[in-house]
Amino acid sequence: YIKNTNMQYFVEIKMTNDKGRGVFAMKDFEKDEVIEICPIIFLDDSEAKDCDPTILGHYMYEWNHEHDGALPLGYGLLYNHSFEPNAVYERDFENNQMIYKAIRNIKIDEEILINYNGEPDNMDPYHFTG
């Protein structure tokens, strides 16, 4: 699990019933509370293109524009998708990191879910690039 004494956040990886691994709360999170800050590995256009057909293509986020990418470290690659998320990710371009925040209260042992489309209410079908 991750424990950062400066931020006091707690998450762990557990198996879900239907999605493989997932990120779960080890404490109650309040709405707008930061869950995790993940540094990213930036991939330029050609590196992102090379990753697309690999397993990494399933985990890559768009970063500055449609053709580059980012791979968050920490547990950033393991948050599962939901069209009813309880968390959101924000790109911090200045510090090259991804910030995961609660968008509603999250209870201990609850899976932390994000909408892969970025915006919590975006109901467009999502697709993997790889």
Side-chain angles (χ1 to χ4, degrees), residues 1-13 22-30 32-40 61 63 71-80 86-92 96-103 106 112-114:
Y1 70 93
I2 293 176
K3 176 183 178 186
N4 181 327
T5 54
N6 293 331
M7 294 180 48
Q8 297 299 314
Y9 62 88
F10 299 84
V11 293
E12 69 177 333
I13 302 302
V23 181
F24 288 80
M26 291 183 65
K27 70 173 220 87
D28 291 339
F29 287 97
E30 293 183 19
D32 298 323
E33 186 175 354
V34 171
I35 297 166
E36 182 179 13
I37 297 176
C38 300
I40 62 108
Y61 287 78
W63 194 246
L71 293 170
L73 300 176
Y75 292 154
L77 298 180
L78 299 175
Y79 291 91
N80 284 317
N86 53 16
V88 66
Y89 63 89
E90 298 174 357
R91 296 169 179 92
D92 178 353
N96 287 323
Q97 58 190 18
M98 195 79 77
I99 302 169
Y100 295 85
K101 289 183 177 179
I103 57 173
I106 300 172
I112 301 169
L113 300 165
I114 60 173

Short mmCIF file of all heavy atoms in Angstrom, two decimals, residues 1-13 22-30 32-40 61 63 71-80 86-92 96-103 106 112-114:
data_model
loop_
_atom_site.label_atom_id
_atom_site.label_comp_id
_atom_site.label_asym_id
_atom_site.label_seq_id
_atom_site.Cartn_x
_atom_site.Cartn_y
_atom_site.Cartn_z
N TYR A 1 0.84 -1.18 0.00
CA TYR A 1 0.00 0.00 0.00
C TYR A 1 0.88 1.23 0.00
O TYR A 1 2.06 1.16 0.27
CB TYR A 1 -0.98 -0.02 1.16
CG TYR A 1 -0.36 0.18 2.54
CD1 TYR A 1 -0.26 1.45 3.09
CD2 TYR A 1 0.14 -0.90 3.26
CE1 TYR A 1 0.31 1.64 4.33
CE2 TYR A 1 0.71 -0.71 4.50
CZ TYR A 1 0.79 0.56 5.03
OH TYR A 1 1.35 0.74 6.25
N ILE A 2 0.27 2.35 -0.31
CA ILE A 2 1.00 3.61 -0.33
C ILE A 2 0.57 4.43 0.89
O ILE A 2 -0.61 4.59 1.15
CB ILE A 2 0.68 4.42 -1.60
CG1 ILE A 2 1.22 3.69 -2.82
CG2 ILE A 2 1.26 5.82 -1.53
CD1 ILE A 2 0.86 4.35 -4.12
N LYS A 3 1.54 4.91 1.61
CA LYS A 3 1.26 5.83 2.72
C LYS A 3 2.22 7.00 2.58
O LYS A 3 3.43 6.82 2.61
CB LYS A 3 1.46 5.17 4.08
CG LYS A 3 1.27 6.15 5.23
CD LYS A 3 1.56 5.52 6.57
CE LYS A 3 1.40 6.56 7.66
NZ LYS A 3 1.80 6.03 8.96
N ASN A 4 1.70 8.16 2.38
CA ASN A 4 2.50 9.37 2.25
C ASN A 4 2.16 10.25 3.44
O ASN A 4 1.06 10.78 3.51
CB ASN A 4 2.18 10.07 0.93
CG ASN A 4 3.01 11.32 0.74
OD1 ASN A 4 3.34 12.01 1.68
ND2 ASN A 4 3.32 11.60 -0.51
N THR A 5 3.09 10.41 4.35
CA THR A 5 2.77 11.14 5.59
C THR A 5 2.50 12.61 5.34
O THR A 5 1.82 13.24 6.13
CB THR A 5 3.90 11.00 6.62
OG1 THR A 5 5.13 11.42 6.01
CG2 THR A 5 4.02 9.56 7.08
N ASN A 6 2.99 13.16 4.22
CA ASN A 6 2.68 14.55 3.91
C ASN A 6 1.24 14.71 3.48
O ASN A 6 0.62 15.73 3.71
CB ASN A 6 3.60 15.08 2.80
CG ASN A 6 5.04 15.17 3.26
OD1 ASN A 6 5.30 15.36 4.43
ND2 ASN A 6 5.95 15.02 2.34
N MET A 7 0.69 13.70 2.78
CA MET A 7 -0.65 13.81 2.24
C MET A 7 -1.65 12.94 2.97
O MET A 7 -2.84 13.13 2.83
CB MET A 7 -0.66 13.46 0.76
CG MET A 7 0.12 14.44 -0.07
SD MET A 7 0.08 14.00 -1.78
CE MET A 7 -1.64 13.68 -2.03
N GLN A 8 -1.18 11.94 3.70
CA GLN A 8 -2.05 11.03 4.42
C GLN A 8 -3.08 10.37 3.50
O GLN A 8 -4.27 10.55 3.65
CB GLN A 8 -2.77 11.76 5.57
CG GLN A 8 -1.84 12.29 6.62
CD GLN A 8 -1.04 11.19 7.30
OE1 GLN A 8 -1.59 10.17 7.68
NE2 GLN A 8 0.24 11.40 7.46
N TYR A 9 -2.59 9.67 2.51
CA TYR A 9 -3.51 8.89 1.70
C TYR A 9 -3.11 7.42 1.71
O TYR A 9 -1.95 7.09 1.89
CB TYR A 9 -3.63 9.41 0.27
CG TYR A 9 -2.37 9.38 -0.56
CD1 TYR A 9 -2.01 8.26 -1.30
CD2 TYR A 9 -1.55 10.50 -0.65
CE1 TYR A 9 -0.88 8.24 -2.07
CE2 TYR A 9 -0.41 10.49 -1.42
CZ TYR A 9 -0.08 9.35 -2.13
OH TYR A 9 1.05 9.34 -2.91
N PHE A 10 -4.09 6.58 1.51
CA PHE A 10 -3.88 5.14 1.62
C PHE A 10 -4.66 4.44 0.52
O PHE A 10 -5.87 4.61 0.41
CB PHE A 10 -4.39 4.63 2.97
CG PHE A 10 -3.70 5.24 4.15
CD1 PHE A 10 -4.09 6.46 4.67
CD2 PHE A 10 -2.65 4.57 4.77
CE1 PHE A 10 -3.46 7.01 5.77
CE2 PHE A 10 -2.01 5.11 5.86
CZ PHE A 10 -2.41 6.33 6.37
N VAL A 11 -3.96 3.63 -0.27
CA VAL A 11 -4.61 2.79 -1.26
C VAL A 11 -3.90 1.45 -1.31
O VAL A 11 -2.75 1.34 -0.90
CB VAL A 11 -4.62 3.43 -2.67
CG1 VAL A 11 -5.51 4.66 -2.71
CG2 VAL A 11 -3.22 3.77 -3.14
N GLU A 12 -4.60 0.44 -1.80
CA GLU A 12 -4.00 -0.87 -1.99
C GLU A 12 -4.58 -1.52 -3.23
O GLU A 12 -5.65 -1.16 -3.69
CB GLU A 12 -4.20 -1.76 -0.76
CG GLU A 12 -5.62 -2.20 -0.54
CD GLU A 12 -5.77 -3.13 0.65
OE1 GLU A 12 -4.81 -3.84 1.00
OE2 GLU A 12 -6.86 -3.15 1.23
N ILE A 13 -3.86 -2.50 -3.74
CA ILE A 13 -4.31 -3.26 -4.90
C ILE A 13 -4.93 -4.56 -4.40
O ILE A 13 -4.36 -5.26 -3.57
CB ILE A 13 -3.12 -3.59 -5.83
CG1 ILE A 13 -2.42 -2.32 -6.29
CG2 ILE A 13 -3.57 -4.44 -7.01
CD1 ILE A 13 -3.30 -1.35 -7.02
N GLY A 22 -7.53 -4.00 -9.04
CA GLY A 22 -8.12 -2.67 -8.88
C GLY A 22 -7.50 -1.98 -7.70
O GLY A 22 -6.82 -2.59 -6.87
N VAL A 23 -7.71 -0.68 -7.63
CA VAL A 23 -7.20 0.15 -6.53
C VAL A 23 -8.34 0.35 -5.53
O VAL A 23 -9.44 0.77 -5.91
CB VAL A 23 -6.68 1.50 -7.05
CG1 VAL A 23 -6.15 2.35 -5.91
CG2 VAL A 23 -5.61 1.31 -8.13
N PHE A 24 -8.05 0.07 -4.25
CA PHE A 24 -9.07 0.16 -3.20
C PHE A 24 -8.61 1.10 -2.10
O PHE A 24 -7.42 1.19 -1.80
CB PHE A 24 -9.33 -1.24 -2.62
CG PHE A 24 -10.07 -2.13 -3.56
CD1 PHE A 24 -9.41 -2.78 -4.60
CD2 PHE A 24 -11.44 -2.32 -3.42
CE1 PHE A 24 -10.10 -3.60 -5.47
CE2 PHE A 24 -12.13 -3.15 -4.29
CZ PHE A 24 -11.46 -3.79 -5.32
N ALA A 25 -9.59 1.75 -1.49
CA ALA A 25 -9.32 2.68 -0.39
C ALA A 25 -9.01 1.91 0.88
O ALA A 25 -9.71 0.96 1.22
CB ALA A 25 -10.52 3.59 -0.17
N MET A 26 -7.97 2.34 1.58
CA MET A 26 -7.64 1.77 2.89
C MET A 26 -8.09 2.70 4.02
O MET A 26 -7.81 2.45 5.18
CB MET A 26 -6.14 1.53 3.00
CG MET A 26 -5.65 0.41 2.09
SD MET A 26 -3.91 0.08 2.29
CE MET A 26 -3.86 -0.52 3.98
N LYS A 27 -8.76 3.78 3.64
CA LYS A 27 -9.34 4.73 4.59
C LYS A 27 -10.51 5.39 3.91
O LYS A 27 -10.70 5.23 2.72
CB LYS A 27 -8.31 5.78 5.03
CG LYS A 27 -7.94 6.76 3.94
CD LYS A 27 -7.07 7.88 4.47
CE LYS A 27 -7.39 9.22 3.90
NZ LYS A 27 -8.36 10.04 4.47
N ASP A 28 -11.31 6.11 4.66
CA ASP A 28 -12.38 6.90 4.07
C ASP A 28 -11.77 8.16 3.45
O ASP A 28 -10.95 8.84 4.08
CB ASP A 28 -13.40 7.32 5.13
CG ASP A 28 -14.20 6.15 5.67
OD1 ASP A 28 -14.28 5.10 4.99
OD2 ASP A 28 -14.74 6.28 6.78
N PHE A 29 -12.13 8.44 2.20
CA PHE A 29 -11.72 9.66 1.52
C PHE A 29 -12.91 10.59 1.43
O PHE A 29 -14.02 10.15 1.13
CB PHE A 29 -11.22 9.37 0.10
CG PHE A 29 -9.88 8.70 0.04
CD1 PHE A 29 -9.79 7.33 -0.11
CD2 PHE A 29 -8.72 9.44 0.11
CE1 PHE A 29 -8.55 6.70 -0.18
CE2 PHE A 29 -7.47 8.83 0.05
CZ PHE A 29 -7.39 7.46 -0.10
N GLU A 30 -12.67 11.87 1.65
CA GLU A 30 -13.72 12.87 1.50
C GLU A 30 -13.70 13.43 0.09
O GLU A 30 -12.66 13.42 -0.58
CB GLU A 30 -13.52 14.00 2.51
CG GLU A 30 -13.71 13.55 3.93
CD GLU A 30 -13.58 14.69 4.93
OE1 GLU A 30 -13.71 15.87 4.52
OE2 GLU A 30 -13.37 14.40 6.11
N ASP A 32 -13.18 15.64 -2.95
CA ASP A 32 -12.09 16.56 -3.31
C ASP A 32 -10.76 16.22 -2.66
O ASP A 32 -9.77 16.92 -2.90
CB ASP A 32 -12.45 18.03 -3.02
CG ASP A 32 -13.64 18.50 -3.83
OD1 ASP A 32 -13.75 18.08 -5.01
OD2 ASP A 32 -14.47 19.26 -3.31
N GLU A 33 -10.69 15.18 -1.87
CA GLU A 33 -9.42 14.79 -1.25
C GLU A 33 -8.53 14.11 -2.28
O GLU A 33 -8.99 13.31 -3.10
CB GLU A 33 -9.68 13.85 -0.08
CG GLU A 33 -8.45 13.50 0.72
CD GLU A 33 -8.75 12.66 1.95
OE1 GLU A 33 -9.95 12.42 2.26
OE2 GLU A 33 -7.79 12.23 2.60
N VAL A 34 -7.24 14.43 -2.25
CA VAL A 34 -6.27 13.78 -3.13
C VAL A 34 -6.06 12.35 -2.65
O VAL A 34 -5.80 12.11 -1.47
CB VAL A 34 -4.94 14.55 -3.17
CG1 VAL A 34 -3.87 13.77 -3.92
CG2 VAL A 34 -5.13 15.92 -3.81
N ILE A 35 -6.17 11.42 -3.58
CA ILE A 35 -5.97 10.01 -3.29
C ILE A 35 -4.52 9.63 -3.54
O ILE A 35 -3.90 8.95 -2.74
CB ILE A 35 -6.91 9.15 -4.15
CG1 ILE A 35 -8.37 9.47 -3.80
CG2 ILE A 35 -6.60 7.67 -3.99
CD1 ILE A 35 -9.38 8.94 -4.80
N GLU A 36 -4.01 10.05 -4.69
CA GLU A 36 -2.65 9.68 -5.08
C GLU A 36 -2.12 10.70 -6.08
O GLU A 36 -2.87 11.20 -6.91
CB GLU A 36 -2.64 8.28 -5.71
CG GLU A 36 -1.26 7.79 -6.08
CD GLU A 36 -1.23 6.40 -6.69
OE1 GLU A 36 -2.29 5.85 -7.06
OE2 GLU A 36 -0.12 5.87 -6.80
N ILE A 37 -0.83 10.99 -5.98
CA ILE A 37 -0.13 11.80 -6.97
C ILE A 37 0.92 10.90 -7.60
O ILE A 37 1.77 10.34 -6.90
CB ILE A 37 0.52 13.04 -6.34
CG1 ILE A 37 -0.55 13.95 -5.76
CG2 ILE A 37 1.36 13.78 -7.38
CD1 ILE A 37 0.00 15.15 -5.02
N CYS A 38 0.83 10.74 -8.93
CA CYS A 38 1.71 9.83 -9.64
C CYS A 38 2.61 10.60 -10.60
O CYS A 38 2.11 11.27 -11.50
CB CYS A 38 0.89 8.84 -10.46
SG CYS A 38 -0.24 7.83 -9.51
N PRO A 39 3.93 10.48 -10.44
CA PRO A 39 4.78 11.02 -11.49
C PRO A 39 4.52 10.25 -12.77
O PRO A 39 4.05 9.10 -12.73
CB PRO A 39 6.20 10.78 -10.97
CG PRO A 39 6.09 9.84 -9.84
CD PRO A 39 4.66 9.80 -9.39
N ILE A 40 4.77 10.88 -13.91
CA ILE A 40 4.53 10.21 -15.18
C ILE A 40 5.82 10.00 -15.95
O ILE A 40 6.80 10.72 -15.76
CB ILE A 40 3.50 10.97 -16.06
CG1 ILE A 40 4.01 12.37 -16.44
CG2 ILE A 40 2.17 11.07 -15.37
CD1 ILE A 40 4.39 12.51 -17.87
N TYR A 61 -2.05 7.20 -21.19
CA TYR A 61 -2.94 8.36 -21.22
C TYR A 61 -2.44 9.32 -22.29
O TYR A 61 -1.23 9.47 -22.48
CB TYR A 61 -2.89 9.11 -19.89
CG TYR A 61 -3.56 8.45 -18.72
CD1 TYR A 61 -2.95 7.40 -18.04
CD2 TYR A 61 -4.77 8.92 -18.25
CE1 TYR A 61 -3.56 6.83 -16.93
CE2 TYR A 61 -5.38 8.36 -17.15
CZ TYR A 61 -4.77 7.31 -16.49
OH TYR A 61 -5.36 6.75 -15.40
N TRP A 63 -1.37 12.93 -23.27
CA TRP A 63 -0.80 13.93 -22.38
C TRP A 63 -1.07 15.34 -22.91
O TRP A 63 -2.07 15.94 -22.60
CB TRP A 63 0.69 13.67 -22.14
CG TRP A 63 1.23 14.46 -21.00
CD1 TRP A 63 2.16 15.46 -21.05
CD2 TRP A 63 0.84 14.37 -19.63
NE1 TRP A 63 2.39 15.97 -19.80
CE2 TRP A 63 1.58 15.32 -18.90
CE3 TRP A 63 -0.06 13.57 -18.92
CZ2 TRP A 63 1.45 15.50 -17.53
CZ3 TRP A 63 -0.20 13.76 -17.56
CH2 TRP A 63 0.55 14.70 -16.88
N LEU A 71 2.65 7.52 -19.06
CA LEU A 71 2.43 6.34 -18.24
C LEU A 71 2.62 6.75 -16.79
O LEU A 71 3.73 7.05 -16.37
CB LEU A 71 3.41 5.22 -18.61
CG LEU A 71 3.23 4.64 -20.00
CD1 LEU A 71 4.40 3.72 -20.35
CD2 LEU A 71 1.91 3.89 -20.11
N PRO A 72 1.53 6.82 -16.01
CA PRO A 72 1.66 7.18 -14.60
C PRO A 72 2.34 6.06 -13.81
O PRO A 72 2.09 4.88 -14.06
CB PRO A 72 0.23 7.36 -14.12
CG PRO A 72 -0.62 7.34 -15.33
CD PRO A 72 0.15 6.65 -16.40
N LEU A 73 3.17 6.45 -12.89
CA LEU A 73 3.80 5.49 -11.99
C LEU A 73 2.89 5.31 -10.78
O LEU A 73 1.74 5.74 -10.80
CB LEU A 73 5.19 5.98 -11.61
CG LEU A 73 6.14 6.16 -12.80
CD1 LEU A 73 7.47 6.73 -12.34
CD2 LEU A 73 6.33 4.87 -13.55
N GLY A 74 3.37 4.70 -9.72
CA GLY A 74 2.51 4.41 -8.57
C GLY A 74 1.42 3.44 -9.01
O GLY A 74 1.66 2.53 -9.81
N TYR A 75 0.21 3.65 -8.54
CA TYR A 75 -0.91 2.80 -8.92
C TYR A 75 -1.72 3.41 -10.06
O TYR A 75 -2.80 2.94 -10.39
CB TYR A 75 -1.81 2.52 -7.73
CG TYR A 75 -1.19 1.65 -6.65
CD1 TYR A 75 -1.61 1.73 -5.34
CD2 TYR A 75 -0.18 0.75 -6.96
CE1 TYR A 75 -1.05 0.93 -4.36
CE2 TYR A 75 0.38 -0.05 -5.99
CZ TYR A 75 -0.05 0.05 -4.69
OH TYR A 75 0.49 -0.75 -3.73
N GLY A 76 -1.20 4.46 -10.67
CA GLY A 76 -1.93 5.18 -11.71
C GLY A 76 -2.39 4.35 -12.88
O GLY A 76 -3.39 4.68 -13.51
N LEU A 77 -1.70 3.27 -13.19
CA LEU A 77 -2.10 2.42 -14.30
C LEU A 77 -3.15 1.39 -13.92
O LEU A 77 -3.64 0.67 -14.78
CB LEU A 77 -0.88 1.67 -14.87
CG LEU A 77 0.23 2.54 -15.45
CD1 LEU A 77 1.37 1.65 -15.96
CD2 LEU A 77 -0.29 3.42 -16.56
N LEU A 78 -3.51 1.33 -12.66
CA LEU A 78 -4.37 0.24 -12.19
C LEU A 78 -5.78 0.66 -11.78
O LEU A 78 -6.58 -0.19 -11.38
CB LEU A 78 -3.68 -0.49 -11.03
CG LEU A 78 -2.34 -1.13 -11.41
CD1 LEU A 78 -1.68 -1.73 -10.18
CD2 LEU A 78 -2.51 -2.18 -12.49
N TYR A 79 -6.10 1.96 -11.89
CA TYR A 79 -7.47 2.39 -11.58
C TYR A 79 -8.38 1.89 -12.69
O TYR A 79 -8.09 2.07 -13.88
CB TYR A 79 -7.55 3.91 -11.48
CG TYR A 79 -6.85 4.47 -10.27
CD1 TYR A 79 -5.52 4.86 -10.34
CD2 TYR A 79 -7.52 4.60 -9.07
CE1 TYR A 79 -4.87 5.37 -9.22
CE2 TYR A 79 -6.88 5.11 -7.94
CZ TYR A 79 -5.55 5.49 -8.03
OH TYR A 79 -4.92 5.99 -6.93
N ASN A 80 -9.48 1.25 -12.32
CA ASN A 80 -10.42 0.73 -13.31
C ASN A 80 -11.42 1.79 -13.73
O ASN A 80 -11.65 2.78 -13.04
CB ASN A 80 -11.15 -0.50 -12.75
CG ASN A 80 -10.26 -1.72 -12.77
OD1 ASN A 80 -9.54 -1.98 -13.73
ND2 ASN A 80 -10.28 -2.49 -11.68
N ASN A 86 -16.03 7.35 -8.81
CA ASN A 86 -15.98 8.05 -7.53
C ASN A 86 -14.71 8.89 -7.42
O ASN A 86 -14.47 9.53 -6.41
CB ASN A 86 -16.08 7.06 -6.36
CG ASN A 86 -15.05 5.94 -6.43
OD1 ASN A 86 -14.07 6.02 -7.17
ND2 ASN A 86 -15.29 4.89 -5.66
N ALA A 87 -13.90 8.88 -8.49
CA ALA A 87 -12.67 9.65 -8.51
C ALA A 87 -12.44 10.19 -9.92
O ALA A 87 -13.09 9.76 -10.88
CB ALA A 87 -11.49 8.79 -8.07
N VAL A 88 -11.51 11.11 -10.03
CA VAL A 88 -11.15 11.72 -11.30
C VAL A 88 -9.64 11.87 -11.34
O VAL A 88 -8.99 11.94 -10.29
CB VAL A 88 -11.85 13.08 -11.49
CG1 VAL A 88 -11.37 14.11 -10.50
CG2 VAL A 88 -11.72 13.59 -12.91
N TYR A 89 -9.09 11.87 -12.54
CA TYR A 89 -7.66 12.16 -12.67
C TYR A 89 -7.49 13.53 -13.31
O TYR A 89 -8.29 13.95 -14.14
CB TYR A 89 -6.92 11.08 -13.47
CG TYR A 89 -7.36 10.92 -14.91
CD1 TYR A 89 -6.76 11.67 -15.92
CD2 TYR A 89 -8.36 10.02 -15.25
CE1 TYR A 89 -7.15 11.52 -17.24
CE2 TYR A 89 -8.74 9.87 -16.56
CZ TYR A 89 -8.14 10.61 -17.56
OH TYR A 89 -8.54 10.46 -18.86
N GLU A 90 -6.46 14.22 -12.88
CA GLU A 90 -6.12 15.53 -13.44
C GLU A 90 -4.67 15.49 -13.88
O GLU A 90 -3.81 15.00 -13.16
CB GLU A 90 -6.30 16.62 -12.39
CG GLU A 90 -7.72 16.77 -11.90
CD GLU A 90 -7.85 17.76 -10.75
OE1 GLU A 90 -6.83 18.31 -10.29
OE2 GLU A 90 -8.99 17.97 -10.31
N ARG A 91 -4.40 16.01 -15.06
CA ARG A 91 -3.03 16.11 -15.56
C ARG A 91 -2.40 17.37 -15.00
O ARG A 91 -2.94 18.45 -15.16
CB ARG A 91 -3.03 16.15 -17.08
CG ARG A 91 -3.54 14.89 -17.73
CD ARG A 91 -3.74 15.15 -19.24
NE ARG A 91 -4.22 13.98 -19.92
CZ ARG A 91 -5.51 13.71 -20.11
NH1 ARG A 91 -6.44 14.52 -19.66
NH2 ARG A 91 -5.86 12.62 -20.75
N ASP A 92 -1.26 17.24 -14.37
CA ASP A 92 -0.48 18.37 -13.88
C ASP A 92 0.73 18.50 -14.81
O ASP A 92 1.76 17.88 -14.62
CB ASP A 92 -0.04 18.13 -12.43
CG ASP A 92 0.82 19.24 -11.86
OD1 ASP A 92 1.21 20.16 -12.60
OD2 ASP A 92 1.12 19.16 -10.66
N ASN A 96 4.64 17.36 -14.38
CA ASN A 96 4.67 16.04 -15.00
C ASN A 96 4.17 14.95 -14.05
O ASN A 96 4.87 13.98 -13.76
CB ASN A 96 6.07 15.70 -15.52
CG ASN A 96 6.41 16.48 -16.76
OD1 ASN A 96 5.55 16.70 -17.60
ND2 ASN A 96 7.65 16.91 -16.88
N GLN A 97 2.94 15.13 -13.60
CA GLN A 97 2.34 14.15 -12.72
C GLN A 97 0.83 14.09 -12.94
O GLN A 97 0.23 15.02 -13.47
CB GLN A 97 2.66 14.45 -11.25
CG GLN A 97 2.21 15.81 -10.78
CD GLN A 97 2.75 16.17 -9.41
OE1 GLN A 97 3.72 15.58 -8.94
NE2 GLN A 97 2.14 17.13 -8.76
N MET A 98 0.26 12.98 -12.55
CA MET A 98 -1.17 12.76 -12.60
C MET A 98 -1.69 12.77 -11.17
O MET A 98 -1.11 12.11 -10.29
CB MET A 98 -1.46 11.41 -13.26
CG MET A 98 -2.86 11.21 -13.69
SD MET A 98 -3.26 12.03 -15.23
CE MET A 98 -2.51 10.91 -16.39
N ILE A 99 -2.77 13.49 -10.95
CA ILE A 99 -3.35 13.61 -9.61
C ILE A 99 -4.73 12.93 -9.63
O ILE A 99 -5.57 13.25 -10.47
CB ILE A 99 -3.48 15.08 -9.19
CG1 ILE A 99 -2.11 15.76 -9.22
CG2 ILE A 99 -4.14 15.19 -7.81
CD1 ILE A 99 -2.17 17.26 -9.08
N TYR A 100 -4.92 12.00 -8.73
CA TYR A 100 -6.20 11.30 -8.59
C TYR A 100 -6.90 11.86 -7.35
O TYR A 100 -6.31 11.89 -6.28
CB TYR A 100 -5.97 9.79 -8.46
CG TYR A 100 -5.38 9.21 -9.72
CD1 TYR A 100 -4.01 9.23 -9.93
CD2 TYR A 100 -6.19 8.69 -10.71
CE1 TYR A 100 -3.45 8.73 -11.10
CE2 TYR A 100 -5.64 8.18 -11.89
CZ TYR A 100 -4.28 8.22 -12.07
OH TYR A 100 -3.73 7.73 -13.23
N LYS A 101 -8.16 12.31 -7.54
CA LYS A 101 -8.95 12.92 -6.47
C LYS A 101 -10.32 12.28 -6.36
O LYS A 101 -10.91 11.88 -7.37
CB LYS A 101 -9.18 14.41 -6.75
CG LYS A 101 -7.99 15.29 -6.63
CD LYS A 101 -8.43 16.73 -6.88
CE LYS A 101 -7.30 17.70 -6.72
NZ LYS A 101 -7.74 19.07 -6.98
N ALA A 102 -10.84 12.26 -5.15
CA ALA A 102 -12.21 11.79 -4.93
C ALA A 102 -13.19 12.84 -5.43
O ALA A 102 -13.00 14.03 -5.19
CB ALA A 102 -12.44 11.52 -3.44
N ILE A 103 -14.24 12.41 -6.12
CA ILE A 103 -15.29 13.35 -6.55
C ILE A 103 -16.56 13.15 -5.72
O ILE A 103 -17.55 13.85 -5.91
CB ILE A 103 -15.60 13.24 -8.05
CG1 ILE A 103 -16.00 11.83 -8.46
CG2 ILE A 103 -14.41 13.75 -8.86
CD1 ILE A 103 -16.48 11.71 -9.91
N ILE A 106 -15.61 8.42 -0.45
CA ILE A 106 -15.27 7.02 -0.75
C ILE A 106 -15.02 6.32 0.58
O ILE A 106 -14.25 6.82 1.40
CB ILE A 106 -14.02 6.93 -1.66
CG1 ILE A 106 -14.26 7.65 -2.99
CG2 ILE A 106 -13.63 5.47 -1.88
CD1 ILE A 106 -13.02 7.77 -3.85
N ILE A 112 -11.72 2.29 -6.03
CA ILE A 112 -11.61 3.65 -6.57
C ILE A 112 -11.67 3.53 -8.08
O ILE A 112 -10.85 2.85 -8.70
CB ILE A 112 -10.32 4.34 -6.09
CG1 ILE A 112 -10.31 4.39 -4.56
CG2 ILE A 112 -10.20 5.72 -6.71
CD1 ILE A 112 -8.99 4.80 -3.96
N LEU A 113 -12.66 4.20 -8.68
CA LEU A 113 -12.94 4.07 -10.11
C LEU A 113 -12.90 5.44 -10.78
O LEU A 113 -13.36 6.43 -10.21
CB LEU A 113 -14.32 3.45 -10.32
CG LEU A 113 -14.49 2.05 -9.73
CD1 LEU A 113 -15.97 1.68 -9.65
CD2 LEU A 113 -13.71 1.04 -10.55
N ILE A 114 -12.36 5.47 -12.00
CA ILE A 114 -12.31 6.70 -12.79
C ILE A 114 -13.02 6.46 -14.12
O ILE A 114 -13.18 5.32 -14.54
CB ILE A 114 -10.86 7.15 -13.05
CG1 ILE A 114 -10.07 6.07 -13.81
CG2 ILE A 114 -10.16 7.52 -11.74
CD1 ILE A 114 -8.69 6.49 -14.25
#
